[in-house]
Amino acid sequence: MDTPFPYDKFVTGKNFIGRKAECTVLSNLIAQHEHVVLYEPPKAGKTSLVQQAMYSMRYGQRAFTVGQFSVLNIRTVAEFLARYGSTVIRMVASAPTEYARLVQDYLGDSHFVFDPDAFADSDQILSLNWDLDEEDVKAVLRLPFRLAADRGTPLLLVIDEFQNVLETEDGDRILRPLDAVIKEAAEQGLKGFSFIFCGSMVNAMKQIFETSRLFHRHVTRVRLSSVDEREIADHVVRGFLSGGKVLDKDLLIGACRLFKNNLWYINHFASICDSMSKGYIMEPVLVDALGSLLSVHEPRFRAMVCGLTTHQVNLLRATAEGNVRFSASEVIRKYGLNSSANVKRVKDALMKKEILVFDAEDQPEFLDPLFEYWIKKYYFELPE
């Protein structure tokens, strides 16, 4: 059923609000066959931005072929390469005979083959007939560049949850050859193919694309800005009006600030308000809707804090109370953080758990705005 507050899928068209500049930047980068990386917290709007950019490009008569896969459930290098190669081949072919021919033509010197039995059993295009070696890795990674150059058709590959390559037995067996292949294509002037690397684990993606210095100057990060709270409020008010309901915009702006303009949370919150109301929506409805939303997410928040050490909880409390200089002696003493060396270890742990992120000035920020609200109000019971 169509809803004015979609939160269970990506949005485009009239439901896509704000971020027009990012959409234009992304469209232009794709049109110029540049590689892009998007990393923001879960449900920040990455997929909606990519889909809206592709929608705009198709509307502008820019032809390209898109492939997409996720690394979320991949745990080995061989699995990644098989999924990657199979996705690329499906971008340009649609029948087993074509698959077999492409594998022979482009991967004939590797240990990857098209096995008709494996394809019949599991829809698997690429199979290994020997142990994986480094030349096999590069051969598969080069595949989209070669296909785009030979066919003259722009190709775009979107890889979701890319940070999970670090969960394979050796992420460097993917990352370093991929970095080399991208640089090799640039040196050879190969055009017609672009990557969009997407990731929801911000600190893990920063490790790949910033700390490691891989892909430097060959992959452009597109950052998602915060959507203006008044634009969000206008969008939600219009949604309520379409159902004959009225909500005070100032109340809604307060909700936007609580959720830090996270559209996924706001749409879910508005959907709950919509289901609980008739006619004019009063403040008690918003309070009840917030309680319902928290009840959905509280088990996840409890699991997050139950997995923390005492020092990690103490540093979170220091963050919640507005501290930023965690290595200062008074902060270490007040929150029982032991030493500046221990502070660094605790910060690293909280980043690895994707609870906090630190900016270039080492200022902390909670990655999940609803978790921040919950931990301040219900866990630490801090005064508002």
Side-chain angles (χ1 to χ4, degrees):
M1 184 176 68
D2 193 27
T3 171
F5 311 115
Y7 62 88
D8 61 334
K9 56 189 175 183
F10 66 80
V11 298
T12 57
K14 67 178 182 179
N15 288 317
F16 184 87
I17 62 171
R19 294 174 178 160
K20 292 181 176 62
E22 292 95 322
C23 190
T24 300
V25 168
L26 181 57
S27 299
N28 289 338
L29 287 169
I30 295 170
Q32 295 164 17
H33 312 297
E34 300 290 337
H35 307 297
V36 178
V37 61
L38 295 165
Y39 49 94
E40 305 289 343
K43 301 299 183 180
K46 299 179 291 298
T47 302
S48 293
L49 178 65
V50 171
Q51 294 294 330
Q52 180 66 20
M54 290 192 289
Y55 172 83
S56 299
M57 291 178 71
R58 289 193 180 100
Y59 186 77
Q61 303 298 309
R62 295 179 183 176
F64 56 95
T65 302
V66 181
Q68 185 169 6
F69 75 97
S70 173
V71 193
L72 181 64
N73 62 345
I74 291 175
R75 286 295 180 268
T76 69
V77 174
E79 282 182 290
F80 174 88
L81 294 171
R83 185 86 55 88
Y84 172 104
S86 297
T87 303
V88 170
I89 289 170
R90 283 195 167 92
M91 290 164 68
V92 298
S94 58
T97 53
E98 295 179 278
Y99 301 156
R101 180 176 55 79
L102 287 172
V103 173
Q104 179 58 42
D105 290 349
Y106 288 91
L107 299 173
D109 293 333
S110 75
H111 293 121
F112 281 99
V113 297
F114 176 76
D115 183 340
D117 293 334
F119 178 76
D121 289 342
S122 59
D123 204 34
Q124 182 175 317
I125 293 177
L126 293 183
S127 300
L128 277 167
N129 65 0
W130 201 257
D131 291 339
L132 187 70
D133 64 31
E134 301 315 304
E135 291 307 311
D136 297 331
V137 175
K138 286 191 174 181
V140 174
L141 294 177
R142 289 188 184 108
L143 186 56
F145 294 96
R146 296 178 62 194
L147 285 170
D150 291 350
R151 290 172 173 257
T153 303
L155 303 179
L156 173 64
L157 181 60
V158 183
I159 307 181
D160 293 321
E161 302 302 341
F162 184 73
Q163 75 280 335
N164 275 34
V165 298
L166 299 175
E167 301 299 324
T168 63
E169 74 275 21
D170 186 357
D172 275 351
R173 287 193 75 192
I174 297 169
L175 294 173
R176 295 195 179 280
L178 183 57
D179 175 58
V181 165
I182 289 175
K183 290 175 180 175
E184 173 187 278
E187 290 166 0
Q188 294 175 2
L190 296 179
K191 294 289 185 178
F193 172 69
S194 300
F195 283 113
I196 298 182
F197 301 106
C198 295
S200 59
M201 301 292 103
V202 173
N203 293 305
M205 290 291 281
K206 285 178 69 175
Q207 180 183 336
I208 294 171
F209 290 96
E210 296 181 29
T211 307
S212 73
R213 304 293 290 176
L214 295 172
F215 313 106
H216 183 55
R217 295 186 178 178
H218 290 278
V219 176
T220 302
R221 182 184 180 189
V222 175
R223 297 173 182 265
L224 272 61
S225 63
S226 177
V227 180
D228 182 76
E229 62 189 26
R230 296 204 168 270
E231 186 173 1
I232 297 173
D234 288 340
H235 168 73
V236 174
V237 167
R238 284 195 301 272
F240 282 123
L241 285 174
S242 68
K245 300 178 182 181
V246 179
L247 172 64
D248 186 285
K249 188 184 291 187
D250 289 337
L251 287 176
L252 193 52
I253 286 175
C256 290
R257 290 173 181 169
L258 186 152
F259 296 118
K260 294 189 174 179
N261 297 348
N262 181 296
L263 285 162
W264 180 66
Y265 277 134
I266 291 167
N267 273 325
H268 194 178
F269 173 73
S271 181
I272 296 171
C273 289
D274 194 29
S275 69
M276 298 173 68
S277 61
K278 293 180 179 179
Y280 197 85
I281 302 173
M282 306 294 287
E283 185 174 357
V285 173
L286 274 67
V287 173
D288 289 345
L290 178 58
S292 295
L293 185 63
L294 282 167
S295 72
V296 172
H297 294 278
E298 187 175 32
R300 175 167 62 92
F301 298 158
R302 286 175 176 266
M304 288 168 66
V305 294
C306 285
L308 302 178
T309 66
T310 300
H311 288 140
Q312 290 165 8
V313 170
N314 290 348
L315 193 138
L316 279 186
R317 180 163 192 138
T319 303
E321 293 183 346
N323 294 278
V324 295
R325 296 179 62 248
F326 301 113
S327 294
S329 57
E330 62 272 20
V331 174
I332 290 174
R333 183 171 56 255
K334 178 178 179 179
Y335 295 97
L337 296 173
N338 285 357
S339 66
S340 57
N342 187 54
V343 166
K344 184 180 185 310
R345 286 192 293 270
V346 173
K347 286 169 61 177
D348 288 345
L350 290 171
M351 286 191 290
K352 190 170 184 180
K353 292 174 184 288
E354 298 290 340
I355 295 175
L356 294 180
V357 65
F358 290 83
D359 64 16
E361 285 73 44
D362 208 30
Q363 302 293 302
E365 181 183 352
F366 283 92
L367 284 163
D368 186 324
L370 189 61
F371 174 73
E372 179 181 3
Y373 173 79
W374 176 84
I375 201 168
K376 287 179 178 179
K377 182 175 178 64
Y378 295 100
Y379 189 80
F380 293 130
E381 299 180 345
L382 302 178
E384 296 185 22

